[in-house]
Amino acid sequence: MACNPDFVQYIADQCAGAGTITVKKMFGDYGIYCNGKIFGLICDNRFYVKPTEAGRALLGTVVLCPPYDGAKDYFWIEDVDDHQLIASLVKETCKELK
């Protein structure tokens, strides 16, 4: 199932405040970037963030699962409605990514 463009835009909006957020279509789904650094994926209308220690600390309880068959596990962010938490998660995650 492909992503709904409205959902993709909603996720991008929720990440606002962390930096310059962009999305790029990839094989029917989307990569999501902050200041040019990929930090997550939006696949099948689900939001995934690369796992980091900072992300784990912010989220507390995490759900790890692959966003698509054959992928490494990412944090699945089920509750995408908390703008402040999402923006903080993106900011802290990107600090740890190379």
Side-chain angles (χ1 to χ4, degrees):
M1 171 171 92
C3 288
N4 177 320
D6 291 334
F7 181 77
V8 174
Q9 185 59 56
Y10 181 72
I11 296 300
D13 292 344
Q14 290 298 87
C15 296
T20 302
I21 303 298
T22 55
V23 293
K24 294 182 183 178
K25 195 160 189 166
M26 302 168 53
F27 310 108
D29 291 313
Y30 294 83
I32 187 164
Y33 300 75
C34 181
N35 300 327
K37 187 182 291 187
I38 189 164
F39 67 87
L41 300 170
I42 306 169
C43 302
D44 296 329
N45 289 333
R46 292 176 130 194
F47 180 42
Y48 299 89
V49 173
K50 288 184 176 184
T52 62
E53 290 304 315
R56 186 178 301 277
L58 272 172
L59 294 171
T61 303
V62 297
V63 176
L64 284 167
C65 57
Y68 55 88
D69 289 340
K72 293 180 180 179
D73 283 344
Y74 278 58
F75 293 147
W76 172 40
I77 311 303
E78 186 174 13
D79 179 7
V80 295
D81 295 325
D82 186 339
H83 169 73
Q84 287 185 316
L85 176 63
I86 298 296
S88 294
L89 174 62
V90 171
K91 215 183 268 189
E92 294 305 312
T93 295
C94 288
K95 286 179 184 177
E96 281 192 41
L97 298 176
K98 295 181 181 183

